[in-house]
Structures are given as structure tokens and as C-alpha cells.
Amino acid sequence: MKRLVRYEWKKIWGSRMNQLTVLGCSMFLLFCVYSVIAQTSAIDENGNSVYGTEAVKVLKELPTVPVTQETVQRTIREYLDCTEDPAANSDREELDFLNEEVYGTLYRRNRDLFSLLLTNYQGSDTTLNMKEVFQKSIGKDFYESRREQVRIALDRSVKNGIILEDQKDYWLKKDAQVKDLKLGNFRFWKNMIDSAGWIILIIPLICVGTAPVFAGEYQSRADSLLLTMRYGKSRLAGAKILTAFLYATAVYWGIILVYSGIYLMICGPQGATLPIQAYDTSNPISYHMTMWQAVLLVVFLNYGAVLCMTAVTLLLSSVFKNSYGVIIVDFLLVLIPNFLYGNAGGYLWKHVLALLPPKISEFRFTDYLVYHIPGRVIGLPSMLTVVYILCIAVFALASGYAFKKHQVNR
């Protein structure tokens, strides 16, 4: 078995097309990493905007701020005092009634905190400006207000057909675990989550590499010889399937480790224990996890999507007579779902669409999708895990069966 796997491994990596596609994709993703770092922005202590590596240095100096009731009320009072101080205020609503200097040092420097406060006190009521919202929020309990806004968001999800009325309790119970929020620098972890959308580039790359696993034998007519060999209808199919998954794993984790290593060296690991709610302060997030846990979840869900598409490619390869047809169908399977939108259909459409592997790039922690399985309700990540495992097993076994039962010279 080891010899068969080693032989198939050399065949995949010996392809000039595979070598060029891996190299090209890697270079493009490295360029994306460079672009993300170059476009990183921050506000220095003087309220000025800085970019690139200088911005990263400023972000590293940001302190971790616990979002307690005392911190919330102190921040609100500081802002309101500035709006009443002739030396700090202005009549310009676009500057939130602050002069430019105070707007830069107070608001822009602490934008995430102000965004979090505004989201959890204002909610969807955009008729009030920040000054009016904060004037109405003096003395209000921050976490109680936050829970109320989550209820409103869940009611909106029910109205929009995203969840059912009886599924609200699932999210309310999860949201009840969200306590003791903190804000600070989490640039490395944010970049890792934001880069998850790049998975759409890795999937076609792996499909190109695994498309000839079975179809290449049909195309070269080597199948008539291979299937008559000692292990042609037993171990050979298993070796091909195992090698394809090893190739997908090596390419995926190789790319992930390279660009995450670059991010880590430049941005540093600060913020690993911050709650995921710090990632998007303008929308409610009811997942109870830290930044590092969120990154692991995203990375492994993407890995599951890659393995699922690898299994689909193997099945296509075992059926098609040449690898070009497999590649064309694979590209269509990757591209078409990206032109399908959840808002275009009802409850069932949204939930089925979210399970397609190419749609993993659209996974958001602000989503409230859940699924009913016998006896319980589970979230989208758990459902994706179940679906991916089932699809990988079924498609891989079906591809091996189709290859072994293939009738040669037809």
C-alpha cells in the first residue's frame, strides 16, 4: 500500500500543470497578504491616520479594555462632557459634535468601543445620532441592553425567514453565555478570519491536481492494464483516494501555514483571548468563543470544504473519460454557487445553500442559521461538519467502486 501511495504521490506532483498552479496560487495569496498589511490602518495617539507596518506598531500598543458597566458609563460621560465643553465641541454632526482634534483622539482612537456602545444602545434605530443615543443611555445596564438588541436581531431573522420562531431559544441560550467583553488589538486573528474567503482560490487548485487520479488512467488507456494487475481492483483504488486527500491536505495546510506565519511575524499574537464579539462591534454576535477558537473553527471548516470538493472531484474523475471534463465541471460547481444568493429564496433555500462547500467563504459569525436534526437543534458549523463528513465518505467510496467496476475499452 505504501508503494502504491508513493507512486501516486509522485504522479500528482510530477505534473508540470500542478506545479505551476500551486506556485501561481501561492504567489497570488502572498500578494494578497502584502496588500492586507499595506492597507492596514490605525489611529495614533494624536488622532492621525497611519498605514502599513507603522499602523501595525500602533495597534500593538493598544491596551486591552474590559467592557464593564463602569467603563461604559465613564466613556459615555466623557463623550457627553466633551460635547458640552466649548473647547472640545462643535456643531458638526459628521464629527459627532466634537471638534476635529477631540474627534481624532477620543472617538477615532476608540472607534471599536464607541461602535460597540452605539450598536448595543441604539440597535436598528438610526434616527438618533450618537449624542442623543448616549444621552438616553446614561445609567442603563450595558449587558441587559445588549441582550435586548440580540432579541430584536433574532426577531428580524424570524421575519426574514432565516430561523423559525422555536429556534430563537437556541441562540438566546448561547448568547446568555456571552459576558465580560473585552476590546484590544487582535490584528493577526482578524486577518486570519478575513482571509478565509481566499479558500475559493485553493479549491480549484486542488481540483486541478486531483482530476486526473482516475480519469487520467482512462484517458491514457492505462486502466486496462492497471485493473488486471494484482492489486488493480483492491488496493489501487484506495491508494489513489488516499493520495488525493494527502495532496489536498498538503496544499491546503502548506498555504495556510505560510500566510499565517507571515501574519504572525508582522502582527504578533496579541488578542488571542479576546471574545469574538470584538471582531465585529457593529453587529450582534452570539457565539461564545475567543479569537483563537474562532480562527481554528474557520480554518477547519475551510479544510472540510476542501476535502469535500476533493471527494466530489474523485467521483467525477471515476466517471468521466478525461480529466478536462472533470476540471470544467469542478469549476462550474465552484463558480455557480457564488452567483446564488440566500435572499433569493425562502427558509429551505437559505439552509441548503449555506451547506455547499464553495459557500464556506461566506460564513459569518453574525449569521443566525441553525438546523433541526432528530432530537436537537445545532448551529451551522456543526451541521457543516456532519454534512462534510458524510459527503467525503460517500463520494470517496463511490469513486473507488466506480473505478473498480469500470469496464475497460468502452
PDB file of all heavy atoms in Angstrom, residues 196 199 203 252-253 287 289 294-308 356-357 360-361 363-365 379-386 388:
ATOM      1  N   ALA A 196     -10.268  33.972   5.185  1.00  0.00           N
ATOM      2  CA  ALA A 196     -10.969  32.709   4.938  1.00  0.00           C
ATOM      3  C   ALA A 196     -11.635  32.695   3.570  1.00  0.00           C
ATOM      4  O   ALA A 196     -11.817  31.640   2.970  1.00  0.00           O
ATOM      5  CB  ALA A 196     -12.016  32.475   6.030  1.00  0.00           C
ATOM      6  N   ILE A 199     -10.292  30.822   0.387  1.00  0.00           N
ATOM      7  CA  ILE A 199     -10.408  29.376   0.186  1.00  0.00           C
ATOM      8  C   ILE A 199     -10.971  29.063  -1.187  1.00  0.00           C
ATOM      9  O   ILE A 199     -10.714  27.999  -1.762  1.00  0.00           O
ATOM     10  CB  ILE A 199     -11.299  28.763   1.293  1.00  0.00           C
ATOM     11  CG1 ILE A 199     -11.180  27.234   1.296  1.00  0.00           C
ATOM     12  CG2 ILE A 199     -12.741  29.159   1.111  1.00  0.00           C
ATOM     13  CD1 ILE A 199      -9.816  26.734   1.646  1.00  0.00           C
ATOM     14  N   ILE A 203      -9.612  25.773  -3.643  1.00  0.00           N
ATOM     15  CA  ILE A 203     -10.435  24.646  -4.086  1.00  0.00           C
ATOM     16  C   ILE A 203     -10.198  24.298  -5.555  1.00  0.00           C
ATOM     17  O   ILE A 203      -9.940  23.126  -5.881  1.00  0.00           O
ATOM     18  CB  ILE A 203     -11.932  24.921  -3.809  1.00  0.00           C
ATOM     19  CG1 ILE A 203     -12.205  24.861  -2.299  1.00  0.00           C
ATOM     20  CG2 ILE A 203     -12.808  23.915  -4.530  1.00  0.00           C
ATOM     21  CD1 ILE A 203     -13.640  25.162  -1.917  1.00  0.00           C
ATOM     22  N   TYR A 252      -3.393  22.582   1.144  1.00  0.00           N
ATOM     23  CA  TYR A 252      -4.185  23.479   1.996  1.00  0.00           C
ATOM     24  C   TYR A 252      -3.392  23.957   3.203  1.00  0.00           C
ATOM     25  O   TYR A 252      -3.249  25.163   3.438  1.00  0.00           O
ATOM     26  CB  TYR A 252      -5.464  22.778   2.456  1.00  0.00           C
ATOM     27  CG  TYR A 252      -6.282  23.618   3.415  1.00  0.00           C
ATOM     28  CD1 TYR A 252      -7.090  24.645   2.943  1.00  0.00           C
ATOM     29  CD2 TYR A 252      -6.228  23.406   4.791  1.00  0.00           C
ATOM     30  CE1 TYR A 252      -7.830  25.430   3.814  1.00  0.00           C
ATOM     31  CE2 TYR A 252      -6.963  24.182   5.669  1.00  0.00           C
ATOM     32  CZ  TYR A 252      -7.768  25.183   5.175  1.00  0.00           C
ATOM     33  OH  TYR A 252      -8.487  25.972   6.048  1.00  0.00           O
ATOM     34  N   TRP A 253      -2.856  23.010   3.973  1.00  0.00           N
ATOM     35  CA  TRP A 253      -2.158  23.399   5.199  1.00  0.00           C
ATOM     36  C   TRP A 253      -0.837  24.082   4.895  1.00  0.00           C
ATOM     37  O   TRP A 253      -0.377  24.924   5.671  1.00  0.00           O
ATOM     38  CB  TRP A 253      -1.955  22.183   6.098  1.00  0.00           C
ATOM     39  CG  TRP A 253      -3.225  21.755   6.751  1.00  0.00           C
ATOM     40  CD1 TRP A 253      -3.962  20.652   6.455  1.00  0.00           C
ATOM     41  CD2 TRP A 253      -3.937  22.438   7.781  1.00  0.00           C
ATOM     42  NE1 TRP A 253      -5.083  20.596   7.237  1.00  0.00           N
ATOM     43  CE2 TRP A 253      -5.095  21.681   8.061  1.00  0.00           C
ATOM     44  CE3 TRP A 253      -3.702  23.613   8.494  1.00  0.00           C
ATOM     45  CZ2 TRP A 253      -6.018  22.067   9.030  1.00  0.00           C
ATOM     46  CZ3 TRP A 253      -4.635  24.009   9.457  1.00  0.00           C
ATOM     47  CH2 TRP A 253      -5.769  23.234   9.723  1.00  0.00           C
ATOM     48  N   TYR A 287     -22.013  33.884  19.338  1.00  0.00           N
ATOM     49  CA  TYR A 287     -21.096  32.771  19.567  1.00  0.00           C
ATOM     50  C   TYR A 287     -20.280  33.046  20.830  1.00  0.00           C
ATOM     51  O   TYR A 287     -19.807  34.166  21.044  1.00  0.00           O
ATOM     52  CB  TYR A 287     -20.156  32.592  18.388  1.00  0.00           C
ATOM     53  CG  TYR A 287     -20.802  31.965  17.174  1.00  0.00           C
ATOM     54  CD1 TYR A 287     -21.448  32.752  16.224  1.00  0.00           C
ATOM     55  CD2 TYR A 287     -20.758  30.590  16.966  1.00  0.00           C
ATOM     56  CE1 TYR A 287     -22.052  32.182  15.100  1.00  0.00           C
ATOM     57  CE2 TYR A 287     -21.350  30.016  15.847  1.00  0.00           C
ATOM     58  CZ  TYR A 287     -21.999  30.814  14.931  1.00  0.00           C
ATOM     59  OH  TYR A 287     -22.574  30.252  13.822  1.00  0.00           O
ATOM     60  N   MET A 289     -17.001  32.296  22.152  1.00  0.00           N
ATOM     61  CA  MET A 289     -15.667  31.774  21.903  1.00  0.00           C
ATOM     62  C   MET A 289     -14.677  32.925  21.832  1.00  0.00           C
ATOM     63  O   MET A 289     -15.065  34.091  21.687  1.00  0.00           O
ATOM     64  CB  MET A 289     -15.619  30.958  20.615  1.00  0.00           C
ATOM     65  CG  MET A 289     -16.016  31.724  19.362  1.00  0.00           C
ATOM     66  SD  MET A 289     -15.923  30.702  17.854  1.00  0.00           S
ATOM     67  CE  MET A 289     -17.105  29.425  18.208  1.00  0.00           C
ATOM     68  N   ALA A 294     -12.130  30.973  17.347  1.00  0.00           N
ATOM     69  CA  ALA A 294     -12.841  31.328  16.117  1.00  0.00           C
ATOM     70  C   ALA A 294     -11.978  31.048  14.890  1.00  0.00           C
ATOM     71  O   ALA A 294     -12.471  30.545  13.869  1.00  0.00           O
ATOM     72  CB  ALA A 294     -13.250  32.795  16.161  1.00  0.00           C
ATOM     73  N   VAL A 295     -10.688  31.361  14.974  1.00  0.00           N
ATOM     74  CA  VAL A 295      -9.788  31.116  13.850  1.00  0.00           C
ATOM     75  C   VAL A 295      -9.669  29.614  13.581  1.00  0.00           C
ATOM     76  O   VAL A 295      -9.710  29.174  12.428  1.00  0.00           O
ATOM     77  CB  VAL A 295      -8.403  31.738  14.120  1.00  0.00           C
ATOM     78  CG1 VAL A 295      -7.382  31.244  13.106  1.00  0.00           C
ATOM     79  CG2 VAL A 295      -8.491  33.257  14.075  1.00  0.00           C
ATOM     80  N   LEU A 296      -9.529  28.825  14.641  1.00  0.00           N
ATOM     81  CA  LEU A 296      -9.460  27.370  14.460  1.00  0.00           C
ATOM     82  C   LEU A 296     -10.732  26.838  13.818  1.00  0.00           C
ATOM     83  O   LEU A 296     -10.680  25.979  12.930  1.00  0.00           O
ATOM     84  CB  LEU A 296      -9.230  26.682  15.807  1.00  0.00           C
ATOM     85  CG  LEU A 296      -7.806  26.662  16.352  1.00  0.00           C
ATOM     86  CD1 LEU A 296      -7.750  25.868  17.647  1.00  0.00           C
ATOM     87  CD2 LEU A 296      -6.837  26.052  15.344  1.00  0.00           C
ATOM     88  N   LEU A 297     -11.870  27.349  14.255  1.00  0.00           N
ATOM     89  CA  LEU A 297     -13.141  26.913  13.679  1.00  0.00           C
ATOM     90  C   LEU A 297     -13.192  27.218  12.188  1.00  0.00           C
ATOM     91  O   LEU A 297     -13.536  26.349  11.368  1.00  0.00           O
ATOM     92  CB  LEU A 297     -14.299  27.608  14.396  1.00  0.00           C
ATOM     93  CG  LEU A 297     -15.698  27.348  13.817  1.00  0.00           C
ATOM     94  CD1 LEU A 297     -16.058  25.871  13.942  1.00  0.00           C
ATOM     95  CD2 LEU A 297     -16.742  28.212  14.514  1.00  0.00           C
ATOM     96  N   VAL A 298     -12.829  28.442  11.807  1.00  0.00           N
ATOM     97  CA  VAL A 298     -12.875  28.844  10.397  1.00  0.00           C
ATOM     98  C   VAL A 298     -11.898  28.019   9.566  1.00  0.00           C
ATOM     99  O   VAL A 298     -12.231  27.538   8.476  1.00  0.00           O
ATOM    100  CB  VAL A 298     -12.560  30.350  10.265  1.00  0.00           C
ATOM    101  CG1 VAL A 298     -12.324  30.731   8.814  1.00  0.00           C
ATOM    102  CG2 VAL A 298     -13.698  31.182  10.847  1.00  0.00           C
ATOM    103  N   VAL A 299     -10.690  27.828  10.093  1.00  0.00           N
ATOM    104  CA  VAL A 299      -9.666  27.085   9.342  1.00  0.00           C
ATOM    105  C   VAL A 299     -10.089  25.634   9.114  1.00  0.00           C
ATOM    106  O   VAL A 299      -9.929  25.094   8.009  1.00  0.00           O
ATOM    107  CB  VAL A 299      -8.320  27.151  10.088  1.00  0.00           C
ATOM    108  CG1 VAL A 299      -7.328  26.155   9.499  1.00  0.00           C
ATOM    109  CG2 VAL A 299      -7.730  28.558  10.009  1.00  0.00           C
ATOM    110  N   PHE A 300     -10.661  25.002  10.128  1.00  0.00           N
ATOM    111  CA  PHE A 300     -11.050  23.600   9.973  1.00  0.00           C
ATOM    112  C   PHE A 300     -12.324  23.441   9.142  1.00  0.00           C
ATOM    113  O   PHE A 300     -12.482  22.440   8.432  1.00  0.00           O
ATOM    114  CB  PHE A 300     -11.211  22.939  11.341  1.00  0.00           C
ATOM    115  CG  PHE A 300      -9.910  22.454  11.920  1.00  0.00           C
ATOM    116  CD1 PHE A 300      -9.257  23.179  12.895  1.00  0.00           C
ATOM    117  CD2 PHE A 300      -9.327  21.286  11.471  1.00  0.00           C
ATOM    118  CE1 PHE A 300      -8.041  22.750  13.412  1.00  0.00           C
ATOM    119  CE2 PHE A 300      -8.122  20.831  11.976  1.00  0.00           C
ATOM    120  CZ  PHE A 300      -7.472  21.574  12.956  1.00  0.00           C
ATOM    121  N   LEU A 301     -13.232  24.405   9.208  1.00  0.00           N
ATOM    122  CA  LEU A 301     -14.404  24.356   8.328  1.00  0.00           C
ATOM    123  C   LEU A 301     -13.975  24.489   6.867  1.00  0.00           C
ATOM    124  O   LEU A 301     -14.490  23.787   5.983  1.00  0.00           O
ATOM    125  CB  LEU A 301     -15.389  25.467   8.683  1.00  0.00           C
ATOM    126  CG  LEU A 301     -16.221  25.276   9.957  1.00  0.00           C
ATOM    127  CD1 LEU A 301     -17.128  26.478  10.186  1.00  0.00           C
ATOM    128  CD2 LEU A 301     -17.052  23.997   9.903  1.00  0.00           C
ATOM    129  N   ASN A 302     -13.017  25.378   6.612  1.00  0.00           N
ATOM    130  CA  ASN A 302     -12.496  25.518   5.258  1.00  0.00           C
ATOM    131  C   ASN A 302     -11.790  24.242   4.796  1.00  0.00           C
ATOM    132  O   ASN A 302     -11.899  23.843   3.624  1.00  0.00           O
ATOM    133  CB  ASN A 302     -11.527  26.696   5.186  1.00  0.00           C
ATOM    134  CG  ASN A 302     -12.236  28.031   5.301  1.00  0.00           C
ATOM    135  OD1 ASN A 302     -13.437  28.115   5.090  1.00  0.00           O
ATOM    136  ND2 ASN A 302     -11.511  29.072   5.630  1.00  0.00           N
ATOM    137  N   TYR A 303     -11.062  23.615   5.708  1.00  0.00           N
ATOM    138  CA  TYR A 303     -10.393  22.351   5.394  1.00  0.00           C
ATOM    139  C   TYR A 303     -11.416  21.284   5.045  1.00  0.00           C
ATOM    140  O   TYR A 303     -11.227  20.499   4.100  1.00  0.00           O
ATOM    141  CB  TYR A 303      -9.550  21.919   6.592  1.00  0.00           C
ATOM    142  CG  TYR A 303      -8.842  20.596   6.413  1.00  0.00           C
ATOM    143  CD1 TYR A 303      -8.042  20.346   5.299  1.00  0.00           C
ATOM    144  CD2 TYR A 303      -8.945  19.593   7.385  1.00  0.00           C
ATOM    145  CE1 TYR A 303      -7.386  19.141   5.139  1.00  0.00           C
ATOM    146  CE2 TYR A 303      -8.292  18.386   7.239  1.00  0.00           C
ATOM    147  CZ  TYR A 303      -7.511  18.162   6.115  1.00  0.00           C
ATOM    148  OH  TYR A 303      -6.859  16.957   5.969  1.00  0.00           O
ATOM    149  N   GLY A 304     -12.531  21.264   5.778  1.00  0.00           N
ATOM    150  CA  GLY A 304     -13.598  20.314   5.467  1.00  0.00           C
ATOM    151  C   GLY A 304     -14.183  20.563   4.088  1.00  0.00           C
ATOM    152  O   GLY A 304     -14.478  19.616   3.348  1.00  0.00           O
ATOM    153  N   ALA A 305     -14.333  21.850   3.716  1.00  0.00           N
ATOM    154  CA  ALA A 305     -14.849  22.179   2.383  1.00  0.00           C
ATOM    155  C   ALA A 305     -13.888  21.715   1.290  1.00  0.00           C
ATOM    156  O   ALA A 305     -14.312  21.214   0.241  1.00  0.00           O
ATOM    157  CB  ALA A 305     -15.081  23.689   2.281  1.00  0.00           C
ATOM    158  N   VAL A 306     -12.590  21.858   1.537  1.00  0.00           N
ATOM    159  CA  VAL A 306     -11.575  21.411   0.570  1.00  0.00           C
ATOM    160  C   VAL A 306     -11.636  19.892   0.395  1.00  0.00           C
ATOM    161  O   VAL A 306     -11.630  19.384  -0.732  1.00  0.00           O
ATOM    162  CB  VAL A 306     -10.169  21.843   1.037  1.00  0.00           C
ATOM    163  CG1 VAL A 306      -9.089  21.105   0.246  1.00  0.00           C
ATOM    164  CG2 VAL A 306      -9.993  23.338   0.859  1.00  0.00           C
ATOM    165  N   LEU A 307     -11.717  19.156   1.497  1.00  0.00           N
ATOM    166  CA  LEU A 307     -11.785  17.697   1.406  1.00  0.00           C
ATOM    167  C   LEU A 307     -13.079  17.255   0.736  1.00  0.00           C
ATOM    168  O   LEU A 307     -13.089  16.267  -0.020  1.00  0.00           O
ATOM    169  CB  LEU A 307     -11.673  17.074   2.798  1.00  0.00           C
ATOM    170  CG  LEU A 307     -10.332  17.240   3.520  1.00  0.00           C
ATOM    171  CD1 LEU A 307     -10.345  16.462   4.827  1.00  0.00           C
ATOM    172  CD2 LEU A 307      -9.167  16.777   2.644  1.00  0.00           C
ATOM    173  N   CYS A 308     -14.170  17.962   0.994  1.00  0.00           N
ATOM    174  CA  CYS A 308     -15.448  17.616   0.371  1.00  0.00           C
ATOM    175  C   CYS A 308     -15.370  17.788  -1.144  1.00  0.00           C
ATOM    176  O   CYS A 308     -15.814  16.911  -1.903  1.00  0.00           O
ATOM    177  CB  CYS A 308     -16.559  18.488   0.949  1.00  0.00           C
ATOM    178  SG  CYS A 308     -18.221  17.991   0.448  1.00  0.00           S
ATOM    179  N   LEU A 356     -23.294  24.240   0.874  1.00  0.00           N
ATOM    180  CA  LEU A 356     -22.445  23.948  -0.276  1.00  0.00           C
ATOM    181  C   LEU A 356     -20.999  24.355   0.034  1.00  0.00           C
ATOM    182  O   LEU A 356     -20.769  25.454   0.559  1.00  0.00           O
ATOM    183  CB  LEU A 356     -22.945  24.700  -1.507  1.00  0.00           C
ATOM    184  CG  LEU A 356     -24.366  24.368  -1.973  1.00  0.00           C
ATOM    185  CD1 LEU A 356     -24.718  25.194  -3.195  1.00  0.00           C
ATOM    186  CD2 LEU A 356     -24.518  22.884  -2.252  1.00  0.00           C
ATOM    187  N   PRO A 357     -20.021  23.507  -0.283  1.00  0.00           N
ATOM    188  CA  PRO A 357     -18.621  23.821   0.046  1.00  0.00           C
ATOM    189  C   PRO A 357     -18.136  25.183  -0.425  1.00  0.00           C
ATOM    190  O   PRO A 357     -17.477  25.895   0.345  1.00  0.00           O
ATOM    191  CB  PRO A 357     -17.849  22.669  -0.622  1.00  0.00           C
ATOM    192  CG  PRO A 357     -18.807  21.522  -0.612  1.00  0.00           C
ATOM    193  CD  PRO A 357     -20.154  22.150  -0.838  1.00  0.00           C
ATOM    194  N   ILE A 360     -18.635  28.235   1.879  1.00  0.00           N
ATOM    195  CA  ILE A 360     -17.957  28.363   3.164  1.00  0.00           C
ATOM    196  C   ILE A 360     -17.238  29.706   3.258  1.00  0.00           C
ATOM    197  O   ILE A 360     -17.014  30.235   4.349  1.00  0.00           O
ATOM    198  CB  ILE A 360     -16.946  27.204   3.373  1.00  0.00           C
ATOM    199  CG1 ILE A 360     -16.432  27.169   4.819  1.00  0.00           C
ATOM    200  CG2 ILE A 360     -15.789  27.312   2.396  1.00  0.00           C
ATOM    201  CD1 ILE A 360     -17.512  26.938   5.840  1.00  0.00           C
ATOM    202  N   SER A 361     -16.904  30.294   2.114  1.00  0.00           N
ATOM    203  CA  SER A 361     -16.239  31.600   2.119  1.00  0.00           C
ATOM    204  C   SER A 361     -17.159  32.708   2.608  1.00  0.00           C
ATOM    205  O   SER A 361     -16.701  33.792   2.934  1.00  0.00           O
ATOM    206  CB  SER A 361     -15.731  31.938   0.711  1.00  0.00           C
ATOM    207  OG  SER A 361     -16.807  32.014  -0.208  1.00  0.00           O
ATOM    208  N   PHE A 363     -19.228  32.276   5.252  1.00  0.00           N
ATOM    209  CA  PHE A 363     -19.579  32.035   6.659  1.00  0.00           C
ATOM    210  C   PHE A 363     -19.263  33.266   7.494  1.00  0.00           C
ATOM    211  O   PHE A 363     -18.175  33.840   7.405  1.00  0.00           O
ATOM    212  CB  PHE A 363     -18.811  30.826   7.200  1.00  0.00           C
ATOM    213  CG  PHE A 363     -18.965  30.642   8.687  1.00  0.00           C
ATOM    214  CD1 PHE A 363     -20.131  30.119   9.213  1.00  0.00           C
ATOM    215  CD2 PHE A 363     -17.954  31.015   9.554  1.00  0.00           C
ATOM    216  CE1 PHE A 363     -20.279  29.962  10.582  1.00  0.00           C
ATOM    217  CE2 PHE A 363     -18.086  30.849  10.925  1.00  0.00           C
ATOM    218  CZ  PHE A 363     -19.245  30.323  11.438  1.00  0.00           C
ATOM    219  N   ARG A 364     -20.223  33.694   8.299  1.00  0.00           N
ATOM    220  CA  ARG A 364     -20.059  34.860   9.165  1.00  0.00           C
ATOM    221  C   ARG A 364     -20.518  34.522  10.578  1.00  0.00           C
ATOM    222  O   ARG A 364     -21.523  33.821  10.758  1.00  0.00           O
ATOM    223  CB  ARG A 364     -20.874  36.048   8.634  1.00  0.00           C
ATOM    224  CG  ARG A 364     -20.491  36.520   7.240  1.00  0.00           C
ATOM    225  CD  ARG A 364     -19.110  37.164   7.206  1.00  0.00           C
ATOM    226  NE  ARG A 364     -18.798  37.640   5.858  1.00  0.00           N
ATOM    227  CZ  ARG A 364     -18.185  36.921   4.928  1.00  0.00           C
ATOM    228  NH1 ARG A 364     -17.843  35.663   5.197  1.00  0.00           N
ATOM    229  NH2 ARG A 364     -17.928  37.422   3.736  1.00  0.00           N
ATOM    230  N   PHE A 365     -19.825  35.061  11.555  1.00  0.00           N
ATOM    231  CA  PHE A 365     -20.228  34.830  12.940  1.00  0.00           C
ATOM    232  C   PHE A 365     -21.481  35.611  13.302  1.00  0.00           C
ATOM    233  O   PHE A 365     -22.082  35.369  14.355  1.00  0.00           O
ATOM    234  CB  PHE A 365     -19.080  35.195  13.881  1.00  0.00           C
ATOM    235  CG  PHE A 365     -17.945  34.218  13.844  1.00  0.00           C
ATOM    236  CD1 PHE A 365     -16.816  34.468  13.095  1.00  0.00           C
ATOM    237  CD2 PHE A 365     -18.016  33.022  14.542  1.00  0.00           C
ATOM    238  CE1 PHE A 365     -15.765  33.564  13.045  1.00  0.00           C
ATOM    239  CE2 PHE A 365     -16.975  32.105  14.507  1.00  0.00           C
ATOM    240  CZ  PHE A 365     -15.849  32.377  13.750  1.00  0.00           C
ATOM    241  N   GLY A 379     -26.075  24.434  15.336  1.00  0.00           N
ATOM    242  CA  GLY A 379     -25.692  25.592  14.561  1.00  0.00           C
ATOM    243  C   GLY A 379     -25.083  25.204  13.222  1.00  0.00           C
ATOM    244  O   GLY A 379     -24.829  24.030  12.937  1.00  0.00           O
ATOM    245  N   LEU A 380     -24.832  26.225  12.408  1.00  0.00           N
ATOM    246  CA  LEU A 380     -24.280  25.989  11.077  1.00  0.00           C
ATOM    247  C   LEU A 380     -22.929  25.276  11.111  1.00  0.00           C
ATOM    248  O   LEU A 380     -22.714  24.341  10.323  1.00  0.00           O
ATOM    249  CB  LEU A 380     -24.163  27.320  10.327  1.00  0.00           C
ATOM    250  CG  LEU A 380     -23.551  27.261   8.927  1.00  0.00           C
ATOM    251  CD1 LEU A 380     -24.328  26.329   8.023  1.00  0.00           C
ATOM    252  CD2 LEU A 380     -23.484  28.661   8.322  1.00  0.00           C
ATOM    253  N   PRO A 381     -21.972  25.660  11.983  1.00  0.00           N
ATOM    254  CA  PRO A 381     -20.685  24.940  11.997  1.00  0.00           C
ATOM    255  C   PRO A 381     -20.835  23.443  12.260  1.00  0.00           C
ATOM    256  O   PRO A 381     -20.178  22.623  11.604  1.00  0.00           O
ATOM    257  CB  PRO A 381     -19.907  25.629  13.126  1.00  0.00           C
ATOM    258  CG  PRO A 381     -20.478  27.005  13.191  1.00  0.00           C
ATOM    259  CD  PRO A 381     -21.939  26.818  12.901  1.00  0.00           C
ATOM    260  N   SER A 382     -21.701  23.080  13.202  1.00  0.00           N
ATOM    261  CA  SER A 382     -21.908  21.657  13.497  1.00  0.00           C
ATOM    262  C   SER A 382     -22.556  20.942  12.321  1.00  0.00           C
ATOM    263  O   SER A 382     -22.184  19.806  11.988  1.00  0.00           O
ATOM    264  CB  SER A 382     -22.783  21.504  14.751  1.00  0.00           C
ATOM    265  OG  SER A 382     -22.159  22.090  15.878  1.00  0.00           O
ATOM    266  N   MET A 383     -23.506  21.597  11.688  1.00  0.00           N
ATOM    267  CA  MET A 383     -24.178  20.988  10.539  1.00  0.00           C
ATOM    268  C   MET A 383     -23.211  20.831   9.374  1.00  0.00           C
ATOM    269  O   MET A 383     -23.235  19.804   8.676  1.00  0.00           O
ATOM    270  CB  MET A 383     -25.370  21.845  10.121  1.00  0.00           C
ATOM    271  CG  MET A 383     -26.276  21.169   9.105  1.00  0.00           C
ATOM    272  SD  MET A 383     -27.057  19.676   9.803  1.00  0.00           S
ATOM    273  CE  MET A 383     -27.973  19.087   8.386  1.00  0.00           C
ATOM    274  N   LEU A 384     -22.363  21.824   9.146  1.00  0.00           N
ATOM    275  CA  LEU A 384     -21.359  21.710   8.090  1.00  0.00           C
ATOM    276  C   LEU A 384     -20.432  20.531   8.341  1.00  0.00           C
ATOM    277  O   LEU A 384     -20.075  19.796   7.411  1.00  0.00           O
ATOM    278  CB  LEU A 384     -20.554  23.003   8.001  1.00  0.00           C
ATOM    279  CG  LEU A 384     -21.233  24.201   7.336  1.00  0.00           C
ATOM    280  CD1 LEU A 384     -20.393  25.463   7.530  1.00  0.00           C
ATOM    281  CD2 LEU A 384     -21.475  23.947   5.865  1.00  0.00           C
ATOM    282  N   THR A 385     -20.039  20.341   9.586  1.00  0.00           N
ATOM    283  CA  THR A 385     -19.153  19.229   9.929  1.00  0.00           C
ATOM    284  C   THR A 385     -19.806  17.887   9.601  1.00  0.00           C
ATOM    285  O   THR A 385     -19.178  17.004   8.996  1.00  0.00           O
ATOM    286  CB  THR A 385     -18.798  19.288  11.421  1.00  0.00           C
ATOM    287  OG1 THR A 385     -18.173  20.540  11.724  1.00  0.00           O
ATOM    288  CG2 THR A 385     -17.845  18.156  11.787  1.00  0.00           C
ATOM    289  N   VAL A 386     -21.070  17.741   9.979  1.00  0.00           N
ATOM    290  CA  VAL A 386     -21.792  16.495   9.707  1.00  0.00           C
ATOM    291  C   VAL A 386     -21.913  16.254   8.206  1.00  0.00           C
ATOM    292  O   VAL A 386     -21.636  15.155   7.705  1.00  0.00           O
ATOM    293  CB  VAL A 386     -23.191  16.541  10.354  1.00  0.00           C
ATOM    294  CG1 VAL A 386     -24.021  15.322   9.919  1.00  0.00           C
ATOM    295  CG2 VAL A 386     -23.083  16.583  11.880  1.00  0.00           C
ATOM    296  N   TYR A 388     -20.125  17.533   5.701  1.00  0.00           N
ATOM    297  CA  TYR A 388     -18.825  17.300   5.062  1.00  0.00           C
ATOM    298  C   TYR A 388     -18.350  15.868   5.293  1.00  0.00           C
ATOM    299  O   TYR A 388     -17.859  15.207   4.367  1.00  0.00           O
ATOM    300  CB  TYR A 388     -17.782  18.281   5.600  1.00  0.00           C
ATOM    301  CG  TYR A 388     -17.960  19.702   5.109  1.00  0.00           C
ATOM    302  CD1 TYR A 388     -17.329  20.764   5.745  1.00  0.00           C
ATOM    303  CD2 TYR A 388     -18.761  20.003   4.015  1.00  0.00           C
ATOM    304  CE1 TYR A 388     -17.474  22.071   5.312  1.00  0.00           C
ATOM    305  CE2 TYR A 388     -18.921  21.305   3.568  1.00  0.00           C
ATOM    306  CZ  TYR A 388     -18.278  22.337   4.218  1.00  0.00           C
ATOM    307  OH  TYR A 388     -18.435  23.620   3.789  1.00  0.00           O
TER     308      TYR A 388
END
